[in-house]
Amino acid sequence: MLRARKTAAAAIFLLALLAASPPRSSTGLTAYPLSKQNGPWMIVVKSFVGPQAVEMADKLVEELRDEHGITAYTWVQSANKSLQGLQGVSLRGRVRQYDNAAVLAGDFDSESAREATKLRDKIRAIRPKCIPADATSKYRYEEGALTTAWIAPNPLRPPPAKDAKPDPLLLKMNTGKASLYNCRGDYTLKVLEFNGAVAVTPEQEKQLGKHGTLQKAGEDAEQITEVLARQGFDAYVFHGLYASIVTVGSFTSPQDPQIDLVRKQMAGIKVGSFTLSQAPLLIAVPKR
């Protein structure tokens, strides 16, 4: 049985979708742009990529605000227009690149705030009208388009001090060879997230069995990471206090042109019984 966690994780992940030019959302081209004045911790509701990414993100923001009373914002990463060619494909001229747009919600002072957890769970239960079935995988649509919502730092806020020490518990939980701590780059793409109960009572453990616990989430994440590694991908796993994630790639900066190539290569592919994210999210690699 998992023991209750007494403290929440320190700032581990930093959303790192910063483009070379200022995000479009800061120029007023979206009704509710994300800003550095928003809370240091927020809920990453959903990310979109493609020609309608910004439009879909804006519609989701409006629906969350109008129908659910949730303060939500749009954050846009401008596409890299200079990217030439696709991996494994011979093309001439420029490859059309699309904006990435993410919807973030809430304004919280810490990752462990009870209000943040409540809002995250509320958002996960919402089935937005503005996201049609063909906008995501069949599995994700049936489970719920927002079930992957998670708590993360506001990407426009300054990063935490470099000398900040990670939680000793996280260090203990992430000692394997495929641990994200062993990634040499500063950024990586999150392709899958497994959520589990933070703690369960004996009665809950009997009802859940192994399914739905952090242990099961961690085992699933380890298994997918191993499969991806055998297929030749640069795959990593990270076990947090609330979820386990699988990432692919090792990048030195948010402007690395390989990011878009790997994102396209990994988006929506099937690995065992799981489907990877349609829009893998760029995150900072946690350091020991």
Side-chain angles (χ1 to χ4, degrees), residues 81-235:
K81 303 299 183 182
S82 63
L83 189 63
Q84 301 284 329
L86 288 175
Q87 193 172 25
V89 180
S90 177
L91 296 174
R92 294 183 179 180
R94 291 187 174 183
V95 175
R96 185 177 182 183
Q97 298 297 304
Y98 299 116
D99 288 338
N100 295 303
V103 174
L104 290 88
D107 298 276
F108 307 104
D109 293 330
S110 72
E111 180 186 17
S112 59
R114 182 177 298 179
E115 294 79 6
T117 302
K118 286 183 177 180
L119 180 60
R120 180 202 62 190
D121 294 343
K122 177 181 178 180
I123 289 173
R124 286 178 175 177
I126 295 173
R127 291 184 174 271
K129 302 173 184 176
C130 64
I131 300 180
D134 59 358
T136 185
S137 67
K138 180 180 179 181
Y139 167 79
R140 177 56 55 207
Y141 186 78
E142 291 176 350
E143 288 291 312
L146 306 185
T147 54
T148 55
W150 59 299
I151 303 171
N154 180 343
L156 299 184
R157 288 258 186 164
K162 292 184 178 180
D163 58 352
K165 296 181 179 179
D167 191 321
L169 179 58
L170 292 178
L171 293 175
K172 186 177 180 180
M173 293 166 61
N174 293 276
T175 57
K177 292 182 179 180
S179 169
L180 189 54
Y181 280 136
N182 296 327
C183 180
R184 296 184 178 182
D186 295 318
Y187 302 91
T188 186
L189 284 168
K190 186 183 75 165
V191 297
L192 200 57
E193 177 176 350
F194 294 91
N195 298 284
V198 177
V200 293
T201 65
E203 292 75 17
Q204 291 172 327
E205 187 177 31
K206 291 178 181 178
Q207 294 176 356
L208 290 173
K210 201 174 182 182
H211 180 72
T213 65
L214 275 175
Q215 180 182 352
K216 180 62 166 59
E219 291 174 355
D220 286 340
E222 291 277 358
Q223 181 181 7
I224 295 302
T225 303
E226 291 178 6
V227 172
L228 289 173
R230 288 198 299 268
Q231 293 178 352
F233 294 106
D234 187 20

Side-chain angles (χ1 to χ4, degrees), residues 235-250:
Y236 303 93
V237 63
F238 188 87
H239 304 297
L241 299 184
Y242 302 98
S244 292
I245 68 169
V246 178
T247 77
V248 172
S250 175

Side-chain angles (χ1 to χ4, degrees), residues 192 223-224 227-228 231 266 269-276:
L192 200 57
Q223 181 181 7
I224 295 302
V227 172
L228 289 173
Q231 293 178 352
M266 305 304 299
I269 67 173
K270 190 100 170 165
V271 181
S273 60
F274 299 96
T275 301
L276 303 190

